[in-house]
Amino acid sequence: MLDVRGRGLSEASDTLDYSLEAQAADVIAFAEALGLQRYAIVGHSMGGRIGVRAARQHPAGLTRLVMVDPPVSGPGRRAYPAQLPWYIDSIRLARAGIDAEGMRRFCPTWTENQLRLRAEWLHTCDERAILASFNGFHEDDIHADLPHVRVPTLLMTAGRGDVVRAEDVEEIRKLVPGVLVSHVADAGHMIPWDDEAGFYCAFGDFLGAALPAA
C-alpha cells in the first residue's frame, strides 16, 4: 500500500506536484520499479480516482482495477460531500498534538483504535497536498477517463455513504461497459473500517481468488 505523495512517509515540499496526473504516474512508476509483470490497482476514495487515471494510460502489466467508493465530483457535477475545513482543521490540531478523544468530534462513528491511528498519522498530511487533491475532486474529470479503461473493472459502493449514488453507478455502467458492481450495505464511505468482512466479501473472486475475511 502506497502513501500518496504529501501523506504518511512519502515526500512533501513546496515544489512537489500534487496533481492527479502525478499521483497516477507514481503508481505506474512504482509497479515498473518493482518489475511487476501482472498487478491490480485497488484504490479507495481518492485512490479510486488515481487508479482510473493510471488505468487510462494502459500501463504494461495492469490486469484489474477496483474503485472503492470513488468521489464522482468533477467539473459541472455535484460537490464532494465533505468540506475542506474538516480536513484542514483536524490536520492542524494533529500537528499540535491532538489525541484520539480530540479527534472524535471529526469522526464520531469511528472506533477507539481508528481514532488513535488517525491522531497518530494525520499530522503527516501536508496541507498543500490536501488542498490540491480537494480542488482536484472538483476540477479533474475522471468521467472522461473511464471510457479509456481497458482492464476488467470493479466498482464497490457503500450502503450508508453519499459519495456514489445509484444514478452515478448507472452512469459508470455506461462509461465502462462490463464493469462489475458490488455493494457493502452496512458501511459508510470508510468501507474497510466500517465493515471489514463485508469489504473483503465484496471483491468476490474478482482478483483471482476470494480474500480472507480476517
Side-chain angles (χ1 to χ4, degrees), residues 79-167:
Y80 181 63
Q83 301 298 308
L84 184 60
W86 186 87
Y87 299 100
I88 300 299
D89 292 351
S90 58
I91 290 170
R92 291 178 179 175
L93 287 170
R95 285 206 304 265
I98 194 172
D99 60 10
E101 189 57 37
M103 194 62 70
R104 191 179 302 279
R105 70 183 179 92
F106 295 95
C107 312
T109 64
W110 290 18
T111 68
E112 190 70 22
N113 186 52
Q114 291 164 354
L115 291 170
R116 283 198 302 270
L117 282 171
R118 191 167 182 84
E120 179 182 357
W121 284 98
L122 192 60
H123 73 91
T124 68
C125 292
D126 188 279
E127 283 190 29
R128 295 161 295 194
I130 301 304
L131 179 60
S133 293
F134 188 84
N135 289 339
F137 281 178
H138 304 93
E139 296 168 358
D140 295 318
D141 186 3
I142 65 162
H143 292 79
D145 296 332
L146 286 168
H148 300 278
V149 175
R150 296 287 182 264
V151 295
T153 301
L154 171 67
L155 170 67
M156 188 184 302
T157 64
R160 294 189 283 105
D162 192 40
V163 175
V164 182
R165 300 174 182 174
E167 58 268 29

Side-chain angles (χ1 to χ4, degrees), residues 4 14-15 18 29 67 106 109 117 126 130 150 168 172 174 181 187:
V4 178
D14 287 326
T15 59
Y18 291 119
M67 304 177 291
F106 295 95
T109 64
L117 282 171
D126 188 279
I130 301 304
R150 296 287 182 264
D168 303 318
I172 291 172
K174 295 175 182 176
V181 179

